[in-house]
Amino acid sequence: MRREHFGERVTGTVYTETVVHLAPEAFAKDVPYQVVIVTLEDGTRITGRMVDDRVSIGDPVERVDVHDEVPFFQKAPSQLT
Amino acid sequence: MRPVAVIAAGKTRFGAFPDRDLRSLAVEAGEKCLKNGHVSPSQVEAFYLGNFAGPSFTGQNHLAPYISTALGILDVPATRFEAACASSGSAFFHAFSAVASGLHDFVMVAGVEKMTSRPTARVTEILAGAGDCAGEIKAGSTFPSLFAMIARRHMYQFGTTREQLAAVAVKNHANGALNPDAHMRKVITMEQALNARPVAEPLGVYDCSLISDGAAAVILAPADRARDFTSKPVRILGVAQASDFVALDQKPDITMFPAVRRAAQKAYEMAGVGPRDIQFAEVHDCFTIAEIVALEDLGFIEKGCGGPYETSGATARTGEKPINASGGLKAKGHPVGATGVAQICDLFAQIRCEAGEMQLKRNALGLAQNLGGSGATCVVSILGNV
């Protein structure tokens, strides 16, 4: 299901978020990092990471990268979405 | 179904015990339990073990017979149940089913976890195995972060505040200070809770339960045989288990746990009581937000009002609905596989007026809520005077 979004422009709205300070070893080099659950335009939700911007609930975001099936988002200018 | 009672309970202290291994903890709890109920190992007809991640934490697998035989419980079915933090709650539900159905008369349900043998980063990684490893965990979610995202959404939708979260920690630490078996017997202030080191925003260190070692055990029996063993058996009036999606991003509304609501509804129906009748409860406060959501899902307060209910004092020892008089997972400790049965031990002690300094005045009808993962399993049990 998630794969069919790959390659297209993927945008959505932040449903919830957190900034992680204490992480397992695999992610320790990234802290603090922001995890988001994004509601995509088709209504489905996906968990991903913010590249470096900080966002709040309700903020528009767009997918800018996919690493190992994990979507990375950045803030989208709301007037353009 | 025939009526079932808890006739004995035993548990270890919870804490960090570098010199103790998993089996010795479980054996200590099991032996205390056998002694408490004057039950001999040869009378036990089945052994149900709750354990989340013994193989990852300690390298040992095949844990149920590994422990039952060390207790002298030989030949009988010995089975491990894994349902994340609800592992021993699930073992308790299935043990109840076996006795209620008449399959067995006397069964032991134990729970154990040995967590402190690993560094915190590795513990975080092992605990993350209770989430969706192909999705949310791969994205860098940890258990604190999943509950942090629940907290953020609860705050957004209902105006829940950091102070209301902190109030849960302050209350449960105050309760835990009265519990001689608690991992952390330390009173904390609101300022300490609010200014704690962040783990996953908005949750700080004091919003999170403890990484603990410990074990707990109970023995179940048909109610009509219970008085052969004890003058104070405690009836299991209702117990139910329910399930839901493992991944948080699959839930339509993360500010509530449907599995808690379903399990609670079934347990209330079985017991013939409602949320207002419950006099006290041990709920699964793995994180402060989890207690607030539990109060709402169990029907103690309307959805969205859990935060103000906590700061009103209603959930304190002296309040109308004492919650986590033991100190909860927050202060008593959270050896994950032991937690569900430990809650039953706490109810058992309260109902029998054996809770020492923790003893509550209104103690006839108690509820335990044991949650697995971010709500994929829930077991709700209602215990009362026979």
Side-chain angles (χ1 to χ4, degrees):
Chain A
M1 288 296 282
R2 287 170 182 171
R3 283 178 189 280
E4 62 192 53
H5 299 293
F6 291 2
E8 337 157 355
R9 182 158 190 257
V10 175
T11 60
T13 309
V14 176
Y15 173 68
T16 189
E17 52 77 25
T18 181
V19 175
V20 178
H21 292 263
L22 182 66
E25 258 162 51
F27 303 102
K29 63 180 189 323
D30 301 338
V31 293
Y33 58 85
Q34 190 168 33
V35 175
V36 287
I37 296 180
V38 173
T39 307
L40 301 176
E41 295 196 338
D42 64 1
T44 60
R45 295 216 182 103
I46 189 162
T47 306
R49 287 264 291 275
M50 294 304 294
V51 174
D52 45 22
D53 315 329
R54 290 286 185 256
V55 288
S56 304
I57 292 174
D59 284 348
V61 290
E62 66 178 324
R63 196 189 67 193
V64 289
D65 204 356
V66 179
H67 275 307
D68 193 19
E69 295 179 31
V70 174
F72 281 73
F73 292 93
Q74 72 176 25
K75 214 166 182 169
S78 51
Q79 63 273 23
L80 295 181
T81 56
Chain B
M1 281 205 308
R2 58 182 176 165
V4 179
V6 181
I7 60 167
K11 59 180 175 166
T12 66
R13 283 179 52 217
F14 285 2
F17 307 123
D19 302 334
R20 299 289 302 276
D21 66 9
L22 180 147
R23 180 162 60 180
S24 83
L25 291 164
V27 166
E28 179 190 329
E31 284 179 344
K32 281 181 175 168
C33 181
L34 290 165
K35 193 174 170 198
N36 175 255
H38 312 288
V39 178
S40 77
S42 63
Q43 288 174 294
V44 176
E45 295 167 33
F47 181 76
Y48 291 74
L49 178 72
N51 172 264
F52 166 52
S56 303
F57 283 120
T58 71
Q60 178 65 50
N61 221 318
H62 215 166
L63 288 170
Y66 182 67
I67 291 162
S68 61
T69 53
L71 282 164
I73 298 170
L74 305 175
D75 303 329
V76 303
T79 312
R80 171 184 165 208
F81 289 74
E82 190 275 305
C85 304
S87 293
S88 61
S90 178
F92 180 76
F93 168 76
H94 287 91
F96 167 87
S97 307
V99 177
S101 71
L103 181 65
H104 299 303
D105 282 340
F106 304 107
V107 303
M108 178 179 280
V109 194
V112 64
E113 208 75 58
K114 169 69 189 173
M115 303 174 72
T116 65
S117 46
R118 302 284 180 175
T120 302
R122 174 67 184 140
V123 173
T124 307
E125 194 172 68
I126 293 170
L127 292 174
D132 176 9
C133 294
E136 59 194 9
I137 302 304
K138 225 173 178 178
S141 299
T142 58
F143 260 86
S145 81
L146 295 174
F147 280 86
M149 290 195 287
I150 292 168
R152 277 279 195 247
R153 192 71 204 178
H154 205 276
M155 292 164 122
Y156 177 81
Q157 285 183 218
F158 305 111
T160 304
T161 64
R162 276 287 296 125
E163 287 73 15
Q164 290 163 352
L165 298 177
V168 175
V170 171
K171 166 182 70 75
N172 290 351
H173 273 282
N175 289 345
L178 301 176
N179 183 349
D181 294 329
H183 187 162
M184 198 177 275
R185 301 188 67 188
K186 179 175 126 180
V187 173
I188 62 163
T189 64
M190 179 62 88
E191 287 66 34
Q192 281 174 300
L194 288 173
N195 297 324
R197 187 162 54 88
V199 174
E201 296 174 37
L203 305 182
V205 168
Y206 283 120
D207 290 292
C208 305
S209 55
L210 303 167
I211 294 167
S212 314
D213 305 329
V218 293
I219 296 173
L220 310 189
D224 61 5
R225 305 280 304 277
R227 285 187 192 275
D228 300 344
F229 295 86
T230 174
S231 59
K232 295 192 285 185
V234 171
R235 269 285 300 280
I236 303 169
L237 300 167
V239 57
Q241 177 173 337
S243 55
D244 191 19
F245 298 108
V246 168
L248 202 58
D249 58 19
Q250 286 186 274
K251 296 178 204 286
D253 179 357
I254 65 169
T255 64
M256 54 176 277
F257 294 122
V260 180
R261 291 174 176 244
R262 278 183 218 114
Q265 190 188 351
K266 284 189 171 184
Y268 287 138
E269 277 169 19
M270 191 189 288
V273 302
R276 282 173 195 278
D277 302 313
I278 301 297
Q279 295 178 332
F280 69 101
E282 289 288 323
V283 311
H284 198 95
D285 59 329
C286 49
F287 300 94
T288 49
I289 183 64
E291 177 168 317
I292 288 174
V293 174
L295 300 182
E296 298 168 1
D297 287 338
L298 294 168
F300 295 161
I301 189 76
E302 305 91 89
K303 183 170 162 77
C305 300
Y309 193 59
E310 290 283 1
T311 46
S312 75
T315 58
R317 295 181 40 76
T318 49
E320 63 176 31
K321 190 85 81 183
I323 302 293
N324 287 328
S326 70
L329 285 54
K330 180 72 270 282
K332 178 177 66 181
H334 183 29
V336 292
T339 285
V341 169
Q343 291 177 323
I344 301 298
C345 292
D346 291 327
L347 261 51
F348 184 76
Q350 286 288 354
I351 291 166
R352 284 161 52 112
C353 293
E354 294 171 350
E357 277 194 88
M358 293 176 284
Q359 187 62 50
L360 299 168
K361 290 198 180 80
R362 296 178 67 242
N363 64 335
L365 190 65
L367 178 149
Q369 176 246 356
N370 185 202
L371 189 74
S374 54
T377 296
C378 182
V379 181
V380 172
S381 309
I382 299 171
L383 272 62
N385 270 331
V386 177

